[in-house]
Amino acid sequence: MRKKIIAANWKMYKDLAEVNDFFTFFIESLSEQPNAEILIAPSFTNLRHAFETTRDYTIEIIAQNMHEKENGAYTGEISAAMLKSIGINRVILGHSERREYFGETNTSLAEKINTALKNEMKVIFCIGEKLEERKEENHFNIIETQLKEGLFHINENNWDSVVIAYEPVWAIGTGETASPEQAQEMHQFIRNTIAEKFGKGIAENVSILYGGSVKPNNAKELFRQPDIDGALVGGASLEIESFNKIIQAI
Ligand code: PGA
C-alpha cells in the first residue's frame, strides 16, 4: 500500500543532549494519529538512544547510511546487522551528499540496496539531478539512469521495502525548492519508469517522497500533487515547530 511518509534527515546535527531535548518535547506535541508515518534519522551515535526514547510512539528511527559489506576490515563503517541489532530496520541510501562527498555511485548503491534487503531492512533510495543537468535538460535521463543502475535489479517482491526520495540537488539546503509542478512532473516520470519495468501495480504502490528545502510554507502545495507521497526533510526537521507544521500539512 502506498503510504504517506514524513522523514527527517538530521545529517551531522544534534548531539545526545540535543536529541534528548528534541524528543522530550516532540513526543508531547505529536498528535496520536498523524496522517503520515514519521521517520527520523539521527546520527549513528544517537540511534540507540532515539530508538529507546521513541519505542512506545508512532515514530520510526532510521539510519542515514550503512556499508555494503556484511562485515570485515572497514574501519569506521557500520553494517546492516549492527543496525538491526539495535532495532533499526530502515536506512537512507544514496543521499546526494553521500554521492558527492563520499564517492557513492549507482553501482555501489546497488550493492548497498542488496545488502539492506538481504538483512530485511527497508530502504529510502535517494535520487536527484544537479543544477547543470537540469539546465542542460538532461534531468529525466539522469533520474532514469539512477533508477536503472541503482535500483532496478531488485525483485518484484522487494518493492514493499522500498521508498524513493526525489531530491533535486540544487534544492537541498539552498532554500530553493522545486515548484510543485516541477516536482509532480518528475514524480510522475519516476512512477511511469517503474511501471514500464515492473508493472502499474508496483508503481502505484511505491511511496515517492520529495526532498529539497521543504518548509512549512511550501509543504502543503507539494503534498497536494498526486504523485508526491510525503517528504524527506533536512533543515526544517531540526526544529520541532517547523517539523510539526510539515507533518500537519500532510
Ligand atoms: P533540506 O535537506 O530540507 O535541508 O534541503 C533535504 C535532504 O537533504 O534530505
Side-chain angles (χ1 to χ4, degrees), residues 9 11 95-97 167 171-175 211-215 232-236:
N9 174 12
K11 311 189 181 191
H95 190 279
S96 66
E97 288 150 17
E167 301 201 297
I172 295 179
T174 57
S213 299
V214 176
K215 308 282 177 211
L232 180 54
V233 188

Side-chain angles (χ1 to χ4, degrees), residues 100 193 237:
E100 187 171 348
T193 309
S237 73

Side-chain angles (χ1 to χ4, degrees), residues 10 16 19-20 23 27 40-63 83-90:
W10 284 353
L16 181 59
V19 168
N20 200 37
F23 283 119
I27 284 169
I40 298 186
S43 63
F44 284 130
T45 55
N46 293 318
L47 281 175
R48 180 64 185 176
H49 176 77
F51 173 79
E52 294 284 359
T53 311
T54 57
R55 70 190 313 161
D56 296 332
Y57 302 91
T58 51
I59 300 167
E60 184 185 341
I61 302 300
I62 67 172
L83 294 171
K84 292 281 293 191
S85 74
I86 58 162
I88 305 302
N89 293 311
R90 196 189 306 246

